[in-house]
Amino acid sequence: MNESNQKIRDFFSQHHHDYQQSAAHARGADLQELLTQLAMPTGAQILDAACGTGHTALAAAAQGYKVTGLDLTPAMLEEGRAVAKQQGLAVEWVVGDVHHLPWPEGTFDAVTCRRAAHHFRDLPKFLQECLRVLRPGGHLGISDMTAPSHAVADLNAIERLRDTSHWAARSANEWAQLLADVGFDLIYLRVSEEVMSPQQWLSPVLPESQPGHAALQRLESPDLAPGIVVKGQFIKYRLVAVAKKP
């Protein structure tokens, strides 16, 4: 396993239960927006890539989709498997790397990836894999953190202090260009803002931990790009995008 993947597995193995219990991940507005904009018919086959503890996969299964969830961290999948059993939902859970999807070309009607792409060391490779496993006319749905172009570098710097498995958030313009370069047709893109306290942003990392202390100190820096912190509150920018395979 490469160093990037090991950092991801280490971080989420430590915090898997926190993410399973996270109300923001379970019921965040981006979840319903993502599934609504996918506009898939009942019974469509959906891959939820980097599914974590399965919040998106479970919501999709509850809406009548045939869902497969893939994640690098077995402990995250165990959380999803337990909830699926409790709720009587059928989801296939697969341990795997999003850069090498273990399915043949044209397997799925849609691929979702929610709140995870900023961890991927090679985002173009992941997007190419999504294009490959989608059927013609299939949809890719993304929800991820973002920031205005002038603030992305600072956002990435503070996110890496908080979580060393963070690789890179992208601006909306970068996302649109990456999707086009791979061969997708962008059909929906929206950026929303959520205001939260620095401690809410930091969670599940503890403020008194070394990463937490360093990240909170950086948020107070006077040279931080404008728009990340406003009147002492952290501004979480969330991008939802849907693209179509021609």
Side-chain angles (χ1 to χ4, degrees):
M1 182 177 293
N2 62 51
E3 183 181 2
S4 174
N5 281 358
Q6 190 61 59
K7 286 180 178 179
I8 292 170
R9 184 171 284 187
D10 289 348
F11 182 84
F12 288 100
S13 292
Q14 179 182 358
H15 296 293
H16 60 91
H17 192 61
D18 297 306
Y19 281 93
Q20 196 280 318
Q21 293 293 313
S22 169
H25 285 76
R27 296 182 293 277
D30 63 307
L31 174 55
Q32 191 54 55
E33 181 179 5
L34 184 63
L35 293 178
T36 298
Q37 295 302 326
L38 275 179
M40 289 287 105
T42 301
Q45 291 186 291
I46 293 181
L47 169 65
D48 187 28
C51 65
T53 60
H55 294 300
T56 305
L58 293 164
Q63 291 189 18
Y65 299 122
K66 298 176 182 177
V67 183
T68 301
L70 174 136
D71 199 85
L72 189 65
T73 306
M76 297 285 272
L77 293 177
E78 285 304 314
E79 295 277 4
R81 186 176 286 110
V83 175
K85 184 176 181 181
Q86 292 170 3
Q87 297 182 357
L89 295 171
V91 177
E92 180 183 7
W93 306 99
V94 177
V95 177
D97 183 348
V98 296
H99 301 91
H100 305 283
L101 299 177
W103 292 280
E105 183 175 345
T107 300
F108 298 100
D109 299 302
V111 177
T112 57
C113 182
R114 179 169 172 256
R115 302 192 180 192
H118 55 276
H119 292 286
F120 301 167
R121 70 185 183 277
D122 189 345
L123 183 56
K125 172 63 173 172
F126 165 66
L127 297 176
Q128 290 163 5
E129 281 290 274
C130 291
L131 192 73
R132 182 183 64 79
V133 301
L134 281 169
R135 296 174 180 133
H139 287 179
L140 169 64
I142 298 287
S143 172
D144 201 32
M145 68 169 67
T146 187
S149 296
H150 74 271
V152 167
D154 274 5
L155 174 65
N156 284 325
I158 61 173
E159 285 288 349
R160 290 183 191 119
L161 290 173
R162 170 186 171 272
D163 169 13
T164 60
S165 72
H166 175 90
W167 190 266
R170 277 84 174 179
S171 70
N173 289 337
E174 288 178 290
W175 269 107
Q177 189 63 58
L178 282 165
L179 289 164
D181 288 347
V182 169
F184 280 102
D185 293 330
L186 182 63
I187 58 176
Y188 178 85
L189 190 151
R190 190 178 80 93
V191 175
S192 60
E193 299 178 18
E194 181 182 354
V195 180
M196 60 183 66
S197 71
Q199 290 74 24
Q200 286 174 310
W201 161 74
L202 190 66
S203 180
V205 177
L206 297 176
E208 61 269 23
S209 68
Q210 189 280 326
H213 179 70
L216 291 175
Q217 273 197 318
R218 180 67 182 118
L219 284 184
E220 296 175 357
S221 174
D223 65 349
L224 194 68
I228 295 177
V229 176
V230 176
K231 296 181 179 179
Q233 297 290 87
F234 185 86
I235 309 301
K236 171 73 80 172
Y237 297 91
R238 187 93 59 198
L239 172 145
V240 174
V242 176
K244 183 177 180 179
K245 178 176 178 175

